[in-house]
Amino acid sequence: MIRAAKSADLDILCDFQQELVDAERPFDPTIKEGKVIYYDIAEYRGQGVNSKVMETLKAWSLSHGVTEIRLEVYAQNNAALKAYLKSGFKPHVMEMRMEC
């Protein structure tokens, strides 16, 4: 079941977000230490949450005239890659970076 967030959920959502940032740090050395404002659904993996979110996003997008959705995902984040591929996303452009 998905419901709209309420103001009372803010602390939980912020903690949830920080856990995602902590999980992303091994994939992105540019994420600084400490608290970063973003979101992780690790404890909900395998329960269809991503599918429900993607279905809702797609329906909302189509109802607003949006015909394409793009996202960025870390190449080493296999769980996210699998979830997005399962939702219908297809690889398109590979981004590369080099530190000088």
Side-chain angles (χ1 to χ4, degrees), residues 39-56:
Y39 62 92
D40 183 22
I41 61 171
E43 69 182 272
Y44 299 102
R45 283 192 184 133
Q47 297 180 34
V49 172
N50 185 63
S51 294
K52 290 176 186 171
V53 169
M54 289 299 136
E55 288 169 15
T56 303

Side-chain angles (χ1 to χ4, degrees), residues 53-93:
V53 169
M54 289 299 136
E55 288 169 15
T56 303
L57 175 62
K58 186 174 179 180
W60 181 92
S61 298
L62 289 170
S63 74
H64 286 80
V66 177
T67 59
E68 179 180 71
I69 301 169
R70 294 182 182 218
L71 61 81
E72 293 180 359
V73 60
Y74 298 113
Q76 302 88 349
N77 190 342
N78 292 324
L81 286 167
K82 183 179 174 183
Y84 293 134
L85 287 167
K86 186 176 177 181
S87 293
F89 284 92
K90 296 179 179 120
H92 179 62
V93 175

